[in-house]
Amino acid sequence: MSQRNTIMEEKLKLLPSKPGVYLMLDGEGEIIYVGKASSLKSRVRSYFGSPGKQGAKVVAMLQHLHDLEYIITDSEIEALILECNLIKKHRPKYNISLRDDKHYPYLKVTLSEEYPRLLVVRSMKKDANRYFGPYTRSGAMNETVKLLRRLFPLRTCSNSGLKNRSRPCLNAHIARCLAPCTGQVSQEKYQEMVSEVILFLEGKQEDLLARLQGKMEQAAHNLEFEKAAEYRDQIRAVEQVLARQKIISSGQENQDVIATATGRWGTIVQVFFIREGKLNGREQFALVGTEDLPPEEV
């Protein structure tokens, strides 16, 4: 058995039966695949259980596999969020090729238009618009679109529909569109809502909450209680989204958390990257020849 296989066998034995994210690395230390699991032990070991039943692309991935790392989370939901963050950051090779080689969707805010829309597109272009993604899970993306269209009712009609319409559409009647087609909203107010959509998609929900809170208080001060209630509902919906994310810090600061473990083989240093209070990555380093040093000197 090769040294690589021996090391891998030892790592497989140490896998916990807990939810988390696993990272597969090649010989250069590059992350080639990121996955999530409700049980790291069961999920990761399943790759090595029945070689004859694996697809060709999984077999190809395992041939490039040289190392394995994992991060334990408190729940499968947290594992899902962390997995998405890591895929977005590292763009692992097999997170794309293992899914039928399809093009993943993006969310596009059409800033090039007078009254921008939020669209789902299959490719990103170099133009004046803003793109977010790609989204590897269309279900999660569709939920995001539904939420945004409910909270921030931008138009969904075509440009020709915008120009030729003389009466508000059905979406306007059910409060799902601001009806710029018939002049029911100023361009300034419409653009303000577009900027709020962008804040949400950029992950700056705390900034968005502060803005909505200010609007709610101003509306209440002006005795516009119906409008204040709308802002209150928007705030609650955004807070629900934030509640699904793993908060490492109560603040919004960026910081790196360092953990070390020393044994007869030396010291392993794990650095966790926290951005805006949320865990979104890690790096690992091995310090050889430090087994006899006190912790403060490592």
Side-chain angles (χ1 to χ4, degrees), residues 52-186:
K53 296 182 180 180
Q54 302 284 18
K57 292 179 181 178
V58 174
V59 172
M61 180 182 73
L62 293 179
Q63 288 175 346
H64 290 90
L65 175 63
H66 278 253
D67 200 0
L68 175 70
E69 297 179 6
Y70 61 88
I71 300 173
I72 298 173
T73 61
D74 289 340
S75 68
E76 191 174 0
I77 294 297
E78 290 173 9
L80 170 62
I81 294 170
L82 180 56
E83 178 199 31
C84 291
N85 287 341
L86 292 174
I87 290 174
K88 183 177 180 180
K89 178 179 179 181
H90 297 287
R91 301 297 304 277
K93 175 181 178 180
Y94 289 100
N95 279 96
I96 296 174
S97 61
L98 284 176
R99 289 184 170 89
D100 300 326
D101 297 324
K102 62 185 178 183
H103 294 288
Y104 292 106
Y106 293 81
L107 291 182
K108 173 183 177 181
V109 181
T110 59
L111 296 180
S112 59
E113 298 173 345
E114 184 178 8
Y115 292 98
R117 296 171 289 167
L118 177 65
L119 303 176
V120 177
V121 297
R122 287 288 174 180
S123 61
M124 184 170 60
K125 299 179 180 179
K126 293 183 178 180
D127 53 27
N129 302 305
R130 284 292 304 273
Y131 294 85
F132 300 89
Y135 292 85
T136 59
R137 287 177 173 79
S138 58
M141 182 205 65
N142 290 332
E143 286 299 316
T144 299
V145 171
K146 286 171 60 178
L147 174 66
L148 287 174
R149 286 179 174 165
R150 178 166 59 85
L151 296 180
F152 308 104
L154 303 182
R155 71 181 180 96
T156 58
C157 60
S158 65
N159 288 329
S160 60
L162 176 68
K163 293 178 181 178
N164 299 324
R165 186 173 293 278
S166 58
R167 294 183 300 174
C169 64
L170 177 61
N171 281 340
H173 286 296
I174 61 174
R176 293 297 174 89
C177 179
L178 296 176
C181 56
T182 55
Q184 294 190 22
V185 61
S186 67

